[in-house]
Amino acid sequence: TLNPYFLRCPICVFDILAHVRALARAAPLYARNQELVTRTFNMGGPDRVSRVDMARRAASAMHIPDTNVKAAPAASVDRGVASPADISMDSRELTMATGVTPRGWEEQVRVALVP
């Protein structure tokens, strides 16, 4: 049972590594500019999806039924900790800084799970 209202921007580990490599290569240039050295970027994938969407799309990418994916309101699931409903993020500035275009959710699933 998943909450259909909590939004995320999932990112593939391969894309995280590509961003880190690109930033590491640019480090000598950034070292000359303190503002760039202390810069904080958002890092997320391009798709803004709920956990329900993620599960259904993963099932679709793997060509399996999503009949076991159940949506439920947040109040019905005790996760033991409060969480904001929308932790999606805009990562366009990171993409511009690194030149890395992160994969969408379906492609992430195919890369990770589909043989």
Side-chain angles (χ1 to χ4, degrees):
T1 304
L2 302 167
N3 185 314
Y5 306 107
F6 285 99
L7 300 174
R8 310 289 188 254
C9 289
I11 185 166
C12 178
V13 68
F14 300 118
D15 295 336
I16 293 170
L17 293 172
H19 282 303
V20 170
R21 276 194 304 266
L23 291 170
R25 282 194 300 268
L29 299 172
Y30 288 163
R32 292 184 224 130
N33 183 330
Q34 188 60 31
E35 183 179 321
L36 291 175
V37 170
T38 59
R39 178 93 190 266
T40 301
F41 290 104
N42 288 328
M43 185 183 297
D47 296 332
R48 186 173 177 251
V49 294
S50 71
R51 292 176 179 163
V52 171
D53 292 333
M54 290 169 57
R56 288 184 176 148
R57 291 181 188 186
S60 175
M62 294 184 291
H63 306 289
I64 59 175
D66 67 358
T67 52
N68 289 328
V69 177
K70 306 292 183 207
S76 69
V77 180
D78 179 15
R79 294 176 304 134
V81 60
S83 175
D86 188 347
I87 62 165
S88 61
M89 55 186 65
D90 182 350
S91 299
R92 287 179 288 191
E93 289 187 27
L94 178 62
T95 297
M96 288 188 310
T98 63
V100 174
T101 302
R103 297 165 175 85
W105 178 244
E106 283 90 354
E107 186 178 351
Q108 292 178 45
V109 171
R110 281 191 297 275
V111 167
L113 301 176
V114 179

